[in-house]
Amino acid sequence: MNSGYFTAGRRTGASELLDRLEHAQSVVVFTGAGISAESGVPTFRDPGGIWERFKPDELANVRAFLANPVLVQGWYAHRRQLMERVKPNPGHVAIAELEQLVPKLTVVTQNVDGLHARAGSSDILELHGNIHRTYCIDCREDARAGHDESNEAVRCRYCGGLVRPDVVWFGEMLDPDVIGRADEASREADVFLSVGTSGLVYPAADLPLVAQRSGAYVVEINIAPSALAEYLDDCITGPAGEVLPEVVDAVRRASRG
Ligand code: OAD
């Protein structure tokens, strides 16, 4: 399917975005779970999403982890295995290709799946961590001992502390360096694309508006309008894996003159 955004009708917004991208010095692509949906990674809040089937209270906070490390480690091991099996989709690939067509492109992602790096993007800020990394809650070493199917908690090979995934849980602060750099990139951006996020989780959800207040042209790409949509400059309704390749093809054609 072709969303036809850049081919049929040529809405004012389409040529505006194209024009902005052609002249942009700095672009931010801000992504949420929706960018990875077409790779087969479930989103959180769509029908049938992760938080409909599992309770964040029992899995995604430090209290739950300390109360039942085996359960939480097992759940993350399961999700990690899923994310190892899936592949970047045309949306991830298009973002990596856009990086070659503009002077500077930063990916700011809420996803922990590592798919942007696998697609070839090079400047990536992972606001919520990365599920493929783990660390010891006592000595902070990267101490992944793997996950066995036994009923024992996975412990640090250096000090015996509990090993947790390197992701941000509910109630935890984002890495100040990472959110600081995301904030700076958003302020500097000429074009800011908000892709596949519900815009409900802060402080990440502030970034599109930070960018807009600093003068960026902010466009959402989503299968349905998000909580932020009404405040942004334009919204493209469609799957990221179809819309993004069209956007990038249009930029490529325009840059060839
Ligand atoms: P959500 O599950 O809240 O939202 C997913 C968004 O993607 C929705 O707006 C969908 O409409 C959209 N979507 C689904 N499929 C799409 C597709 N093929 N193309 C484009 N858009 C699509 O996920 P996030 O906004 O990423 O936090 O959630 C934010 C944070 O909440 C996550 O990082 C996670 C979660 O709790 C932590 O784990 C800290």
Side-chain angles (χ1 to χ4, degrees):
M1 190 188 99
N2 184 311
S3 75
Y5 185 72
F6 278 88
T7 46
R10 306 272 312 170
R11 285 175 40 202
T12 322
S15 52
E16 173 84 24
L17 174 59
L18 193 51
D19 189 56
R20 298 275 188 153
L21 280 170
E22 267 184 86
H23 296 100
Q25 289 303 310
S26 183
V27 174
V28 167
V29 184
F30 172 59
T31 62
I35 183 82
S36 297
E38 290 156 83
S39 291
V41 181
T43 62
F44 294 93
R45 297 177 183 79
D46 291 310
I50 290 176
W51 295 150
E52 205 174 274
R53 289 176 290 140
F54 301 98
K55 294 195 176 85
D57 281 0
E58 290 170 8
L59 295 164
N61 67 76
V62 79
R63 225 172 353 93
F65 174 64
L66 294 175
N68 196 343
V70 175
L71 175 79
V72 175
Q73 287 173 339
W75 190 68
Y76 277 94
H78 172 74
R79 289 193 63 209
R80 192 179 301 124
Q81 280 160 12
L82 166 79
M83 289 174 189
E84 277 162 4
R85 278 200 304 272
V86 301
K87 292 196 177 70
N89 67 55
H92 298 103
V93 173
I95 295 167
E97 288 174 359
L98 186 59
E99 185 180 320
Q100 307 302 319
L101 299 171
V102 296
K104 183 172 189 293
L105 185 146
T106 307
V107 176
V108 178
T109 188
Q110 298 164 88
N111 300 344
V112 298
D113 55 30
L115 288 174
H116 286 297
R118 284 173 58 196
S121 287
S122 64
D123 186 6
I124 306 166
L125 297 171
E126 292 175 317
L127 296 177
H128 295 161
N130 186 309
I131 200 166
H132 303 291
R133 293 191 305 259
T134 55
Y135 67 90
C136 168
I137 61 168
D138 291 334
C139 71
R140 315 295 285 189
E141 283 293 330
D142 169 5
R144 184 164 172 187
H147 181 75
D148 57 31
E149 299 299 319
S150 74
N151 255 353
E152 298 287 313
V154 180
R155 290 190 172 272
C156 173
R157 72 174 86 113
Y158 304 111
C159 75
L162 287 168
V163 171
R164 62 165 283 179
D166 190 359
V167 299
V168 177
W169 279 332
F170 288 97
E172 293 183 325
M173 305 273 288
L174 274 56
D175 179 329
D177 177 53
V178 177
I179 185 68
R181 285 195 285 150
D183 189 74
E184 199 181 313
S186 304
R187 286 174 201 279
E188 279 175 6
D190 303 308
V191 176
F192 185 107
L193 301 178
S194 180
V195 183
T197 179
S198 56
L200 292 170
V201 174
Y202 288 83
D206 273 328
L207 295 173
L209 299 173
V210 165
Q212 195 181 44
R213 281 198 297 272
S214 306
Y217 186 67
V218 184
V219 176
E220 171 170 289
I221 297 171
N222 201 310
I223 51 170
S226 77
L228 299 171
E230 62 179 301
Y231 306 107
L232 307 182
D233 294 304
D234 197 10
C235 297
I236 305 178
T237 304
E242 293 172 18
V243 173
L244 280 166
E246 280 184 47
V247 172
V248 175
D249 277 353
V251 175
R252 192 181 287 116
R253 280 198 303 275
S255 67
R256 283 186 192 138

